[in-house]
Amino acid sequence: MRAATLALIVSLKDDSPSLLETLSDDREIALFETAWNSGESDPLQVIYESRSRQEKEESEFADYVEDLLSKPFLRPEIQEHGVQWLKSKIRIEQYQKSEVQAAKVIADYAFQVFSQEQDKTDFFLAGPTAKVRIRVFVVGQARGLDKAA
């Protein structure tokens, strides 16, 4: 069974942890880790910029499809492809919303585990049918003191 990975981005103030962000997308985790390892001062900003670019590209494409579908003399097969794309987009958005909700529940529990044992920065949470790898990155400290999975 392949384990999903969830990254918790945490800040420590006076040894009191605060959850800043949860990453559940493997691509975003890899991007964050690359920025983290390269000494980027704000690795989360790299994620936010990537999300913004992706959202802009998706929005532009959706506008293109919508514009295409509004043409009065569109060939039926092109119209059908456009409608299928829109249906797929809706299904993907519903799936992503469910994934975000599940990730939040898991992240909240994993954050409690980390809060109680702050040396746990790379661990697994497992249930009867699923296993999730939890990686904790503590940001905002001197690089020599950072805890990273």
Side-chain angles (χ1 to χ4, degrees):
M1 151 178 34
R2 183 180 179 277
T5 301
L6 200 62
L8 305 180
I9 314 306
V10 175
S11 171
L12 280 181
K13 300 281 190 228
D14 302 321
D15 287 334
S16 178
S18 174
L19 183 60
L20 300 175
E21 182 70 68
T22 301
L23 305 176
S24 60
D25 180 85
D26 289 339
R27 186 189 58 78
E28 281 190 350
I29 294 170
L31 184 62
F32 177 86
E33 190 169 19
T34 299
W36 170 270
N37 289 333
S38 69
E40 185 71 39
S41 62
D42 188 0
L44 270 178
Q45 187 59 37
V46 174
I47 298 300
Y48 298 146
E49 289 169 1
S50 173
R51 286 178 183 172
S52 178
R53 277 191 307 275
Q54 183 176 355
E55 188 176 299
K56 182 178 182 238
E57 289 171 7
E58 289 175 2
S59 177
E60 287 174 356
F61 188 73
D63 289 346
Y64 169 75
V65 171
E66 185 179 320
D67 183 54
L68 191 63
L69 289 175
S70 69
K71 303 287 184 206
F73 300 107
L74 190 63
R75 291 191 342 226
E77 60 271 10
I78 294 175
Q79 187 176 33
E80 181 60 28
H81 285 294
V83 169
Q84 289 304 318
W85 179 84
L86 287 171
K87 287 179 180 179
S88 293
K89 184 175 178 0
I90 291 168
R91 283 192 301 272
I92 289 169
E93 287 174 354
Q94 290 170 336
Y95 172 80
Q96 288 172 332
K97 188 180 282 188
S98 295
E99 182 181 288
V100 165
Q101 291 170 343
K104 182 177 178 358
V105 170
I106 295 167
D108 288 344
Y109 181 75
F111 181 69
Q112 287 177 1
V113 170
F114 171 75
S115 294
Q116 293 170 0
E117 295 182 56
Q118 293 182 15
D119 60 330
K120 279 191 156 191
T121 58
D122 193 351
F123 58 96
F124 285 90
L125 295 176
T129 59
K131 185 165 129 176
V132 179
R133 179 181 181 194
I134 306 298
R135 299 184 65 200
V136 180
F137 295 89
V138 180
V139 297
Q141 298 177 324
R143 289 304 292 174
L145 302 174
D146 283 340
K147 294 181 184 178

